[in-house]
């Protein structure tokens, strides 16, 4: 289970798929990188989950900001395919 920014629980038993993402490089990211990565759930609307993320240098300077939209997969989307061999005919 995951939680949104308000602490509400959302079930993602079957997984999620990414619909779109936006990544904004605010400043160059030095390599090797030392700092923090933060990620959070902004909003949940039925099966739609909006997320945000931030990459910051060790001194707190924001280097990258990102957001994305994911959709929770429902059981019919992940049902196994019929594996029976068709009868010869």
């Amino acid at each position: 289970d995951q939680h949104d920014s308000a602490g509400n629980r959302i079930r993602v038993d079957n997984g999620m798929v990414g619909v779109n993402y936006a990544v904004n490089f605010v400043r160059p990211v030095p390599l090797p990188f030392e700092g923090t990565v933060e990620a959070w759930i902004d909003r949940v609307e039925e099966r739609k989950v909006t997320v945000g993320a931030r990459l910051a240098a060790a001194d707190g300077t924001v280097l990258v900001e990102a957001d994305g939209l994911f959709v929770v997969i429902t059981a019919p989307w992940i049902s196994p395919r019929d594996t029976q061999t068709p009868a010869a005919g």
Side-chain angles (χ1 to χ4, degrees), residues 41-54:
I41 298 172
D42 278 327
R43 185 172 60 252
V44 178
E45 298 172 5
E46 296 185 21
R47 293 178 35 226
K48 296 178 186 178
V49 181
T50 304
V51 300
R54 181 180 304 122

Side-chain angles (χ1 to χ4, degrees), residues 34-83:
E34 289 188 31
T36 59
V37 177
E38 296 176 88
W40 58 88
I41 298 172
D42 278 327
R43 185 172 60 252
V44 178
E45 298 172 5
E46 296 185 21
R47 293 178 35 226
K48 296 178 186 178
V49 181
T50 304
V51 300
R54 181 180 304 122
L55 183 77
D59 67 0
T61 303
V62 175
L63 305 174
V64 179
E65 295 176 325
D67 57 56
L69 173 64
F70 292 80
V71 175
V72 176
I73 300 171
T74 57
W77 283 62
I78 60 165
S79 296
R81 292 184 177 174
D82 184 0
T83 57

Side-chain angles (χ1 to χ4, degrees), residues 5-40:
S5 57
N8 299 313
R9 194 157 128 183
I10 57 171
R11 293 190 64 98
V12 290
D13 294 340
N14 298 325
M16 298 165 75
V17 293
V19 176
N20 63 41
Y21 317 35
V23 178
N24 299 309
F25 290 86
V26 179
R27 295 179 181 270
V29 178
L31 295 175
F33 170 75
E34 289 188 31
T36 59
V37 177
E38 296 176 88
W40 58 88

